[in-house]
Amino acid sequence: MTAPDSAARPSPVVPTVDYDQDGVQHGFLRLPYSRDDSAWGAIMIPLTVVKRGEGPTALLTGANHGDEYEGPVALFKLAGTLRAEEVTGRVIVVPAMNYPAFRAGRRTSPIDQGNLNRAFPGRADGTPTEKIADHFQRCLLPMAEYVLDVHSGGKTLDFVPFAAVHAVPDARQQARCAAAMRAFGAPYSLVLRELDSVGMYDTAAEAMGKVFVSTELGGGGTTTARSVAIAERGVRSFLRHARILTGAVEPTPTLNLGMPSDACYVVSEHAGLVEPCVDLGHPVRSGQLLARVHDVQRTGAPGIDYRARLDGLLVGRHFPGLAQVGDCLAVVAVPEG
Ligand code: ZN
């Protein structure tokens, strides 16, 4: 099916705030959603706009995936505390972007099974998840110069805390993204290589030339005091870097990492019980055992060894104790100068 009708149709999502008004406004993105328990109902996605005078706009989002919590914690708190007097320009805060997924504690939406970060550019006449994507694509992203999307591993992955950018074709944009990533000040800064970037919010923002930074700050479907502190400090540093908040960015030590090839990803070809053999953040050598997958259907079968394919650092790992065929077991990144 082609999408000319969708592209011509206005977004059905209506903000209850005025983006051009100075001050602090707490409101919603109202997405009509007719259903059994609310015939003319709507999904109400919380949003805060803080604006003062002229200046750049930053768009800050969490829970693009509903089971990742550093973003929502940091951004609900920021929305509740940020004062207009602190701001030059505009900050748009959407703490829980795929709100139905967030309320369900799931990566994807319980309504349409939509993975928002694979739904871009979305459709105005699509599912609720596609309508959210379309609204960000055509209404919110165009308003912003600086875009920060706070992720973590969710229920099935865990990461060392890193901020990330992708390699983009425009060297100037790449440098601006990398500078904003370093300003975020996570313990690790990674030039991320995606397995498949089609449909991602990242790709949409980068294609529009935005200064775009994402993160992976932890995982396992929860937060820690440390990961939340990294998110909160990072969000404020990002806004200082954009000169929307005054004050210098506090320099924080970060280790720069890259992902030179797909060999960084270790994917399970077996289902079973996972024995981690290296912990997150530890250095690994090519050939080193990273994890073993044990048969759970019988005793006496040898475990299957999964080894690093290059020298580096273990930055990501499978989180649940059981793995399926095709699960990402480990992610190795390589320190750069
Ligand atoms: Zn995510």
Side-chain angles (χ1 to χ4, degrees):
M1 196 188 284
T2 53
D5 289 341
S6 177
R9 193 185 291 261
S11 170
V13 179
V14 176
T16 67
V17 296
D18 176 356
Y19 292 114
D20 297 325
Q21 187 185 307
D22 275 5
V24 177
Q25 298 170 78
H26 301 293
F28 301 92
L29 298 169
R30 191 175 67 224
L31 165 56
Y33 176 48
S34 176
R35 56 197 194 270
D36 281 347
D37 65 346
S38 187
W40 289 6
I43 297 164
M44 302 291 274
I45 304 169
L47 140 139
T48 291
V49 181
V50 182
K51 181 178 179 297
R52 188 177 70 98
E54 298 304 312
T57 293
L59 175 58
L60 311 177
T61 49
N64 181 333
H65 293 128
D67 60 348
E68 304 173 3
Y69 297 101
E70 281 79 3
V73 173
L75 296 180
F76 271 112
K77 284 181 71 180
L78 181 77
T81 52
L82 190 61
R83 292 175 295 115
E85 308 84 81
E86 295 177 85
V87 167
T88 303
R90 181 167 58 178
V91 183
I92 302 172
V93 188
V94 184
M97 201 180 178
N98 194 348
Y99 194 64
F102 171 70
R103 290 299 302 269
R106 290 173 42 163
R107 181 173 182 82
T108 60
S109 174
I111 299 169
D112 53 26
Q113 280 64 55
N115 179 343
L116 181 57
N117 216 28
R118 301 292 183 274
F120 281 80
R123 291 183 67 96
D125 59 355
T127 65
T129 303
E130 289 172 328
K131 287 173 178 171
I132 295 170
D134 172 68
H135 190 75
F136 274 84
Q137 174 83 30
R138 291 194 295 151
C139 303
L140 286 164
L141 278 176
M143 288 196 278
E145 287 82 29
Y146 293 86
V147 183
L148 174 65
D149 191 30
V150 182
H151 287 252
S152 46
K155 286 176 180 166
T156 67
L157 291 168
D158 195 12
F159 291 102
V160 297
F162 65 80
V165 296
H166 299 101
V168 295
D170 177 354
R172 257 192 86 229
Q173 184 189 4
Q174 174 76 38
R176 295 181 73 207
C177 292
M181 167 179 70
R182 282 192 295 274
F184 185 93
Y188 301 89
S189 298
L190 175 64
V191 179
L192 188 59
R193 180 186 188 93
E194 299 288 348
L195 288 166
D196 181 5
S197 64
V198 173
M200 293 181 69
Y201 181 52
D202 314 52
T203 310
E206 286 158 2
M208 286 184 212
K210 307 303 178 186
V211 176
F212 180 82
V213 175
S214 70
T215 71
E216 300 288 356
L217 297 179
T222 188
T223 60
T224 63
R226 177 182 182 232
S227 67
V228 167
I230 291 166
E232 290 200 79
R233 194 192 58 223
V235 165
R236 287 203 170 255
S237 296
F238 183 84
L239 293 174
R240 286 198 185 97
H241 176 77
R243 301 188 184 283
I244 293 172
L245 290 184
T246 55
V249 175
E250 255 178 71
T252 45
T254 187
L255 181 63
N256 293 309
L257 299 165
M259 297 178 74
S261 76
D262 286 347
C264 293
Y265 290 99
V266 178
V267 176
S268 186
E269 296 181 3
H270 301 83
L273 180 63
V274 180
E275 175 193 353
C277 302
V278 178
D279 283 328
L280 285 179
H282 284 242
V284 298
R285 307 289 295 181
S286 182
Q288 184 176 339
L289 183 62
L290 296 177
R292 204 176 265 136
V293 178
H294 295 278
D295 196 327
V296 290
Q297 293 182 302
R298 58 188 55 76
T299 55
I304 310 291
D305 291 348
Y306 283 91
R307 297 180 180 279
R309 290 188 283 163
L310 69 184
D311 293 352
L313 199 78
L314 188 70
V315 298
R317 54 156 281 191
H318 187 262
F319 189 78
L322 296 175
Q324 311 170 73
V325 174
D327 281 358
C328 178
L329 281 181
V331 183
V332 174
V334 177
E336 292 180 338

